Every structure is written in C-alpha cells, then in structure tokens.
Amino acid sequence: MKNFLLLIFIIISMSMSAQDKYEFLHGLGYDFSFGLPQAVGGIAFQGNGLNYVPRIVSPINSDLSIGISLPVGASLVTSNYSSPLGINYAAAIDIHSGFLGTQTSKNRFGAFFGLGFGSYDLYYLTNDITGLRIDRNASYGPYAHFGFRIPYYGQNVSLALSNWRGINASNGKTQVFSLKLIYEFND
C-alpha cells in the first residue's frame, strides 16, 4: 500500500511540475466524527469540531484537477469513559472535478475523491499517583475521503465523508468516520 501511494504521489508531483501551474484552495467547517473499534476492548466515541482543509491542485483543464490535500481538525469528543480532545490530520492525493475543482470552473456541481494516510488521535488527561499526564490513543492508517461541492445561497460549500482505517492494535484498530460540512473560501 505504501509503495502504491508513493508511486501515485510521484506521478502527481511530476504532472504538477510539468504543467507549472498550481492553485491553492481551502475551506473551513464543521466536523461530526465517530469511532468504532473492531475489537471488544476498544473505546467507541463521537466528536464535534472544526476542520480546515487546504489543498494544492494542478489543473488538467478548467473542470478537472489533481492535487494534494492536508485536512486537519480538532474535536470535543465524548465516550463512555471520559471527554478527550480529538485531533485529526491526513495527507491525501486527490482528484477534483467540476465546481471548485479549479478556480476557473464554471460548473454548478463538483465532486472529489482522495486517498492517503492520516491519524485521528484522542488525548486524555489522566490523574494518577505520579500526577497529571496526557495519554494519546491514536487511530492511524489509510485515509480516504470523497464528497461533492455546490454553491448554496451564494456560499460555496463542500459535503465530505472521511474515513481513517485504524491499524493500531493497541486501541482495537478503531475505525473513524467523519462527516464534514466545509465552507470554501474564494480567493
């Protein structure tokens, strides 16, 4: 999987450098996430937070581009045991089509899809005999997202579904899903 992603990254990098034209697009929005452990001992959780999604794209034509996105976010998380802070981040290679696939697109509807690697980390504040400490429970692994973009009452918005496929055995290989509503900034 790593070799495949590296190969795709190299191909996209070569394509972007050959075209010598890049566009920076970004958005900020709401994130509702939930984690489902695959093992019995894992902790299920849900979170509400903010997400920032910057992306650099290289247009192929006015309605199609390839690029790299680096979504990051923070969530207030609730679970059966405590209320940790959730921090998520990823790096993904994307294909964008239609609305906001490029800055010059005239379409009224757009879609995107991306694959990469990321992590959804839960940070717990623990008080034990040695004092206060911060424990980290990471759900890292392959990352995928897809969604669509539309203009909605004069605002450009994206609706995306993201997934972190946990490979960390210590937390029960928790898989995290996130539904994001992103306000796209116009530059």
Side-chain angles (χ1 to χ4, degrees):
M1 178 70 172
K2 288 181 191 176
N3 292 336
F4 176 73
L5 289 175
L6 180 62
L7 178 65
I8 296 295
F9 180 74
I10 290 170
I11 290 169
I12 287 177
S13 298
M14 288 176 14
S15 171
M16 289 174 78
S17 64
Q19 293 186 18
D20 201 27
K21 183 177 181 195
Y22 309 102
E23 295 178 355
F24 177 73
L25 302 164
H26 57 121
L28 176 71
Y30 171 73
D31 172 346
F32 173 74
S33 54
F34 58 95
L36 302 171
Q38 294 178 357
V40 176
I43 300 170
F45 62 87
Q46 69 180 29
N48 292 289
L50 290 175
N51 215 287
Y52 177 66
V53 184
R55 61 188 189 277
I56 297 173
V57 300
S58 178
I60 295 171
N61 60 40
S62 65
D63 290 325
L64 184 65
S65 67
I66 55 174
I68 299 169
S69 64
L70 303 167
V72 295
S75 298
L76 297 174
V77 178
T78 57
S79 71
N80 293 341
Y81 302 105
S82 65
S83 296
L85 175 66
I87 303 291
N88 62 77
Y89 48 92
I93 298 167
D94 300 331
I95 297 173
H96 303 273
S97 175
F99 184 65
L100 292 179
T102 67
Q103 291 177 342
T104 60
S105 176
K106 303 289 186 222
N107 282 347
R108 305 297 289 162
F109 179 81
F112 60 93
F113 173 76
L115 293 173
F117 193 84
S119 186
Y120 196 106
D121 302 343
L122 299 178
Y123 291 91
Y124 296 90
L125 188 59
T126 307
N127 188 7
D128 60 8
I129 58 172
T130 61
L132 287 175
R133 73 172 197 268
I134 297 175
D135 292 327
R136 176 178 173 239
N137 187 351
S139 297
Y140 55 84
Y143 171 81
H145 64 186
F146 68 91
F148 63 90
R149 297 184 180 99
I150 57 171
Y152 183 72
Y153 289 106
Q155 304 298 320
N156 300 331
V157 296
S158 294
L159 185 61
L161 181 62
S162 302
N163 176 245
W164 291 263
R165 183 99 177 149
I167 59 174
N168 185 3
S170 68
N171 72 354
K173 296 186 178 181
T174 299
Q175 188 170 182
V176 182
F177 295 92
S178 174
L179 182 62
K180 302 174 186 178
L181 179 61
I182 305 291
Y183 169 78
E184 298 287 346
F185 299 112
N186 293 334
D187 292 335

